[in-house]
Amino acid sequence: MFNLAQTQIGQAQSESLSAQITKAIPGLILVVLVAISATWAEGLIKENFKKIYEIAHLNYVLLAIIFGMIIRNTVGVPSVVEPGLKYSTILTKTGIVVMGTKYTLASLAKVGTTSMIFITVTLFGTVALMFWLRKRFTMSDSLAGCLASGFAVCGVSACVATGPAVKAKGQEMCYTIATILIFGLLALFTFPMLGHLFGLTENQFGAWVGVGIVNSAQVLAAGMAYGQDAGLMAGIYNMGRVVLLPFVVLYVVMMVLKNDSKAAGEINKSQFIMDKFPVFIVAFLVAVLANTMGMFSKEEVEMANKFMIWAFTLGFASIGLTTKFSDMKDAGKDGIILGFIVGLAKAAFALIVVKFFLPL
């Protein structure tokens, strides 16, 4: 995870598009093979080991991640395939955009004002809790800022958006990203079991993980592991969260710089929000609008659904292939302890609201 984080944060070497594609081919082939194996294994387990499938809920999503992690942490991944494993974010965001063909503006409206208030309170409350607890730990303001934005919104993207604004060091951003991914990895395998234990419907579970799990890809993976309706609901709640990304990041930056009135005053808040707004959200909304206008036939929507599933499966396989168990040791303890306390508090609050108060 640290190497992956450094790759995402550092400047990519200048090379032609054709050279990048050529280098990516071996890794992409491995990702496809893992994804195909996961879909095949799901059918095999469902048919021959029904009880295990019902108890563990080992669908293609979890299996793609598990297979990728087993390969990464046993036989290892040759350096020649590494360039092709960097596209998990692109694949999952592509799946999110295509997901827009399954919705209309009316269906999105069902999320409602109440849900957006819930999401907003949870995100900004997470930041406030992080900075309040941060006083009990020894760490820089910039590291606390990265942890606050990362655990509040959507993990890696929020951290990368916050880091430069609070003048975080590269290692602080890497530390934050590793902590976020470790939390999400554990949540990915435990939350579905907890969802069944608490008797959550698919819509309730999707809303819960859409707010309670940090990294967007892991949100979708956990949702899809519970069921397709849960995955779709998780995607919608994740969208509501990501839309607030620039506002939350701005809040974090102002919290970090509050003792430096000159630096805080130099920030153009409107421009900051525009610069940080996620472009793929716009593409998703365009797809929703097109579907609302009836521009897609039933067959095209079904085809888009298959494409979406494969985009997610390939993305999840890539995530598994880039997950190192050794990073749990490398990340250290203070950031993990603080991050996990805040992350668990956020998830517990979201679970209570979804289970007892939110109309789903």
Side-chain angles (χ1 to χ4, degrees), residues 212-276:
I213 295 181
V214 184
N215 186 262
S216 293
Q218 292 167 333
V219 166
L220 295 168
M224 290 292 184
Y226 205 77
Q228 190 169 90
D229 287 343
L232 295 174
M233 183 62 74
I236 291 299
Y237 270 75
N238 185 58
M239 285 291 172
R241 189 176 63 171
V242 172
V243 165
L244 295 173
L245 185 148
F247 302 96
V248 174
V249 171
L250 177 60
Y251 175 52
V252 169
V253 172
M254 298 306 291
M255 289 283 284
V256 172
L257 301 179
K258 66 180 181 180
N259 294 325
D260 187 346
S261 58
K262 182 180 179 181
E266 290 175 351
I267 296 176
N268 184 325
K269 297 178 179 61
S270 299
Q271 187 61 46
F272 186 95
I273 290 169
M274 291 295 293
D275 290 342
K276 301 301 181 183

Side-chain angles (χ1 to χ4, degrees), residues 145-268:
C146 289
L147 284 168
S149 62
F151 272 89
V153 196
C154 53
V156 176
S157 298
C159 174
V160 172
T162 304
V166 298
K167 299 178 181 179
K169 298 176 182 178
Q171 58 264 40
E172 290 178 328
M173 296 175 68
C174 292
Y175 186 99
T176 299
I177 291 171
T179 303
I180 288 166
L181 294 179
I182 292 168
F183 177 84
L185 182 63
L186 296 175
L188 171 60
F189 289 102
T190 57
F191 278 29
M193 290 186 287
L194 291 173
H196 288 289
L197 179 65
F198 291 119
L200 298 182
T201 66
E202 288 199 20
N203 282 343
Q204 286 177 325
F205 183 82
W208 178 38
V209 298
V211 176
I213 295 181
V214 184
N215 186 262
S216 293
Q218 292 167 333
V219 166
L220 295 168
M224 290 292 184
Y226 205 77
Q228 190 169 90
D229 287 343
L232 295 174
M233 183 62 74
I236 291 299
Y237 270 75
N238 185 58
M239 285 291 172
R241 189 176 63 171
V242 172
V243 165
L244 295 173
L245 185 148
F247 302 96
V248 174
V249 171
L250 177 60
Y251 175 52
V252 169
V253 172
M254 298 306 291
M255 289 283 284
V256 172
L257 301 179
K258 66 180 181 180
N259 294 325
D260 187 346
S261 58
K262 182 180 179 181
E266 290 175 351
I267 296 176
N268 184 325

Side-chain angles (χ1 to χ4, degrees), residues 134-150:
R134 168 244 185 273
K135 300 172 186 176
R136 292 154 177 77
F137 293 82
T138 303
M139 64 179 64
S140 66
D141 287 339
S142 54
L143 175 57
C146 289
L147 284 168
S149 62

Side-chain angles (χ1 to χ4, degrees), residues 14-36:
S14 177
E15 58 183 349
S16 67
L17 178 61
S18 60
Q20 292 181 42
I21 293 173
T22 301
K23 287 184 178 180
I25 289 174
L28 292 174
I29 291 174
L30 177 59
V31 169
V32 170
L33 290 175
V34 171
I36 291 174

Side-chain angles (χ1 to χ4, degrees), residues 302-318:
E302 290 177 356
M303 187 181 300
N305 184 58
K306 292 178 181 178
F307 181 86
M308 177 194 74
I309 290 173
W310 272 104
F312 285 147
T313 307
L314 293 169
F316 300 148
S318 182

